[in-house]
């Protein structure tokens, strides 16, 4: 899943993971968990996370390589937040070539900057299960509490306006070239992300069906 922060990658990936019974691998979630556990990687990533900048490619590639090696990823996976640079995309291709399992699709969620900021300032996340809410468009049934596990929701530190603007700049300069990279490989599926969650879901599934014929 490719797209700017707030385009709905996490929300849609959570749906796809159920629909196709394959794991949702969110590099942002993994990094936040590592940071919380104060691991070596978490400590190295912390300052980048705070500023909304990208964690260096070598760390990310190593992290994703070990994650894709776990058993649950053997029949497939949904990557959310990776690759975010062309060198990461190239490293992923090399990894998947070694495993003889080429990428099937790159789903790009497209959204305007003003819509992104409006979404992120009202985004709330469950720290336990990662479920994502929006105060108006997709609120929990009980104010501030996750519907799935009853945990108190939080507002990500990097979802404040100044950091969001920086993350968008980083996206436009470093991640946008990844879109061309997959377009050239004929793998790109672009979905307008301003539509409702359900509508985006339907369009993704339809596009994947057309792409693969068998899903
Ligand atoms: P996300 O939850 O996907 O918005 O990611 C949150 C933060 O984690 C980003 O702003 C980066 O600091 C870091 N991050 C996540 N994925 C990557 C990646 N593929 N490459 C570099 N940094 C990443």
């Amino acid at each position: 899943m490719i797209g700017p922060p707030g385009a709905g990658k996490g929300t849609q990936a959570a749906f796809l993971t159920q629909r196709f019974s394959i794991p949702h691998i969110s590099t942002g979630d993994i990094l936040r968990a590592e940071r919380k556990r104060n691991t070596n990687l978490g400590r190295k990533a912390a300052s980048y996370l705070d500023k909304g900048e990208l964690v260096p490619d070598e760390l990310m590639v190593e992290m994703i390589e070990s994650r894709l090696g776990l058993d649950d990823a053997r029949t497939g996976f949904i990557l959310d937040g990776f690759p975010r640079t062309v060198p990461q995309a190239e490293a992923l291709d090399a990894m998947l070539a070694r495993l003889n399992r080429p990428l099937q699709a790159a789903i790009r969620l497209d959204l305007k900057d003003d819509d992104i900021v409006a979404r992120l300032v009202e985004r709330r996340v469950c720290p336990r299960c990662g479920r994502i809410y929006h105060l108006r468009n997709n609120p929990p049934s009980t104010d501030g509490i996750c519907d799935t596990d009853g945990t108190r929701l939080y507002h990500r530190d990097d979802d404040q306006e100044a950091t969001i603007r920086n993350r968008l700049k980083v996206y436009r300069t470093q991640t946008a070239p990844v879109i061309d990279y997959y377009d050239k490989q004929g793998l790109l599926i672009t979905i307008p992300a301003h539509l409702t969650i359900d509508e985006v879901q339907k369009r993704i599934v339809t596009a994947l069906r057309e792409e693969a014929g068998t899903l």
Side-chain angles (χ1 to χ4, degrees):
M1 313 275 313
I2 308 181
K9 300 186 297 293
T11 301
Q12 295 299 332
F15 156 75
L16 291 172
T17 203
Q18 293 207 333
R19 174 79 170 65
F20 298 115
S21 303
I22 50 177
H24 167 198
I25 301 176
S26 156
T27 44
D29 284 351
I30 299 174
L31 289 169
R32 282 184 289 278
E34 295 274 340
R35 178 186 199 171
K36 208 165 167 190
R37 285 171 31 230
N38 198 25
T39 62
N40 213 354
L41 173 60
R43 282 195 300 276
K44 284 186 192 156
S47 66
Y48 300 98
L49 290 167
D50 286 342
K51 286 185 269 186
E53 276 163 20
L54 294 186
V55 173
D57 287 340
E58 316 79 73
L59 289 178
M60 295 308 302
V61 168
E62 200 180 308
M63 184 180 115
I64 215 72
E65 187 148 30
S66 64
R67 180 61 187 86
L68 293 185
L70 297 185
D71 264 2
D72 66 341
R74 236 189 282 158
T75 51
F77 45 80
I78 298 152
L79 287 175
D80 161 13
F82 186 96
R84 255 178 160 98
T85 64
V86 170
Q88 289 183 13
E90 289 167 348
L92 178 64
D93 273 350
M95 250 179 255
L96 296 179
R98 280 198 297 278
L99 298 169
N100 199 19
R101 284 197 358 226
L103 210 64
Q104 284 183 302
I107 303 165
R108 171 200 181 194
L109 298 180
D110 196 22
L111 195 65
K112 289 200 304 256
D113 284 10
D114 287 346
D115 292 345
I116 290 167
V117 176
R119 277 191 186 184
L120 293 183
V121 292
E122 293 192 84
R123 171 160 80 173
R124 296 295 180 272
V125 183
C126 173
R128 182 178 295 174
C129 71
R131 188 161 165 186
I132 300 160
Y133 299 86
H134 183 274
L135 294 183
R136 277 173 304 123
N137 303 340
N138 181 28
S141 338
T142 310
D143 217 17
I145 301 293
C146 179
D147 291 350
T148 307
D149 54 30
T151 306
R152 180 159 293 281
L153 303 177
Y154 83 117
H155 189 201
R156 278 172 48 175
D157 289 342
D158 61 351
D159 279 350
Q160 317 293 333
E161 184 151 355
T163 319
I164 294 169
R165 296 273 173 204
N166 193 39
R167 287 161 68 206
L168 281 176
K169 214 163 76 194
V170 168
Y171 177 77
R172 303 284 173 220
T173 53
Q174 302 190 63
T175 306
V178 177
I179 294 170
D180 281 345
Y181 180 90
Y182 288 123
D183 198 16
K184 285 195 186 111
Q185 293 190 10
L187 292 175
L188 193 70
I189 295 170
T190 296
I191 310 277
H194 64 277
L195 304 168
T196 62
I197 294 174
D198 282 356
E199 186 57 34
V200 174
Q201 268 178 22
K202 278 194 207 124
R203 291 194 187 203
I204 293 176
V205 171
T206 305
L208 286 174
R209 271 214 196 96
E210 281 167 9
E211 189 82 8
T214 53
L215 289 168

